[in-house]
């Protein structure tokens, strides 16, 4: 199987220029599915910290690059929405956040905010033993005893012990960001959730600084106001 990816066919979320070269690196299997951006692209093309795959491998071999609190040694490891990148030697920290048009961008954050990450709940089910398991947007799973958390809510997960330190319900009045569709990257407050009969997606009406936006439920993620800047990623509940 080829280890190359044509730039013209990469997902829209990838922060790469499609016409500069024919090929770019292909992401390994892992979190975020096909939308995951190889770490090498962020290190080389976005941040400019390395010039080649060889340099990236050397840098990652120092265990000073963390993704969600864990040292990463694979330059093709997929990075996606709301992941936390920490460069310990540089004392630099970034949150992966959807920009206008749905492209992933790196938002500088402080060290405290780098200790946790946001996750959208995309699944909830009972597992053996009666525990409740949540599935997040990046494929991660969590066992919880809080029955109030439900699908389309967002949670803030500690990178240290994977515990939930904050919970943001999906409801009218919630602050959300669109992560796909024509309104990707825009932030506003949910004014109405229109439940659609049958298998069609629910619609969401959002007030973004006086502008009325309409999108589908799948495209919005509940956030805290702190996620729009570089401050902490949610208060403990």
């Amino acid at each position: 199987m080829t280890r190359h990816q044509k730039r013209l066919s990469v997902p829209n979320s990838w922060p790469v220029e499609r016409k500069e070269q024919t090929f770019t690196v292909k992401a390994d299997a892992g979190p975020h599915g096909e939308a995951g951006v190889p770490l090498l692209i962020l290190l080389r093309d976005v941040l400019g910290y390395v010039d080649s795959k060889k340099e990236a491998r050397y840098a990652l071999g120092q265990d000073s690059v963390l993704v969600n609190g864990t040292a990463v040694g694979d330059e093709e490891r997929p990075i996606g929405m709301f992941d936390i990148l920490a460069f310990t030697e540089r004392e630099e920290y970034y949150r992966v956040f959807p920009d206008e048009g749905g492209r992933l961008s790196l938002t500088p954050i402080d060290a405290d905010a780098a200790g946790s990450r946001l996750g959208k709940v995309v699944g909830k089910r009972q597992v053996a033993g009666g525990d409740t398991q949540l599935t997040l947007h990046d494929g991660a799973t969590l066992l919880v005893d809080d029955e109030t958390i439900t699908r389309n809510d967002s949670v803030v997960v500690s990178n240290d012990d994977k515990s939930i330190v904050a919970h943001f319900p999906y409801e009218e009045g919630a602050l959300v960001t669109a992560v796909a569709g024509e309104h990707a990257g825009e932030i506003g407050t949910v004014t109405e959730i229109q439940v659609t009969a049958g298998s069609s997606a629910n619609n969401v009406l959002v007030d973004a600084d006086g502008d009325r936006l309409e999108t589908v439920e799948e495209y919005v993620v509940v956030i805290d106001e702190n996620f729009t800047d570089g401050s902490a990623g949610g208060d403990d509940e």
Side-chain angles (χ1 to χ4, degrees):
M1 181 178 295
T2 179
R3 295 305 306 152
H4 294 88
Q5 165 75 55
K6 285 192 174 182
R7 284 177 177 255
L8 286 175
S9 62
V10 300
N12 291 334
S13 60
W14 285 31
V16 299
E17 297 300 327
R18 285 165 168 73
K19 296 184 179 180
E20 285 187 352
Q21 299 177 25
T22 302
F23 293 99
T24 187
V25 66
K26 188 175 183 179
D28 277 345
H32 304 288
E34 294 182 355
V37 181
L39 179 56
L40 173 60
I41 288 180
L42 299 182
L43 294 175
R44 182 189 62 196
D45 302 343
V46 177
L47 294 169
Y49 288 167
V50 301
D51 293 323
S52 65
K53 181 181 290 189
K54 182 178 180 180
E55 288 185 9
R57 286 178 177 173
Y58 176 80
L60 295 176
Q62 310 307 305
D63 290 337
S64 60
V65 180
L66 310 183
V67 177
N68 300 330
T70 301
V72 175
D74 179 9
E75 74 277 3
E76 296 178 2
R77 195 269 196 199
I79 307 298
M81 186 174 65
F82 303 127
D83 277 345
I84 301 295
L85 291 181
F87 300 91
T88 56
E89 291 185 355
R90 294 172 174 265
E91 297 185 350
E92 294 180 4
Y93 309 91
Y94 298 93
R95 177 183 294 117
V96 182
F97 203 81
D99 204 345
E100 290 186 10
R103 279 186 134 190
L104 297 178
S105 62
L106 299 181
T107 301
I109 57 176
D110 57 35
D112 289 339
S116 59
R117 65 186 180 89
L118 186 76
K120 178 179 179 177
V121 178
V122 298
K124 177 180 179 180
R125 68 187 186 96
Q126 297 297 120
V127 296
D131 292 326
T132 298
Q133 177 179 281
L134 305 179
T135 301
L136 304 185
H137 70 279
D138 59 0
T141 57
L142 301 170
L143 293 178
V144 300
D145 55 13
D146 186 347
E147 293 298 324
T148 66
I149 302 174
T150 189
R151 194 173 184 275
N152 292 321
D153 288 0
S154 289
V155 292
V156 177
V157 182
S158 168
N159 289 333
D160 289 334
D161 58 9
K162 311 306 178 187
S163 63
I164 294 177
V165 299
H167 168 213
F168 306 133
Y170 171 66
E171 60 189 5
E172 293 181 3
L175 185 68
V176 298
T177 183
V179 298
E182 63 178 306
H183 299 299
E186 298 190 49
I187 295 173
T189 302
V190 175
T191 58
E192 184 180 355
I193 300 172
Q194 299 176 332
V195 179
T196 306
S199 59
S200 299
N202 293 341
N203 289 329
V204 184
L205 303 184
V206 177
D207 178 9
D209 291 330
D211 292 331
R212 182 178 180 272
L213 311 179
E214 182 174 352
T215 187
V216 295
E217 198 168 64
E218 178 185 355
Y219 289 170
V220 298
V221 178
V222 184
I223 60 174
D224 177 72
E225 61 184 9
N226 291 325
F227 282 87
T228 63
D229 56 34
S231 56
D235 299 325
D236 291 356
E237 290 190 325

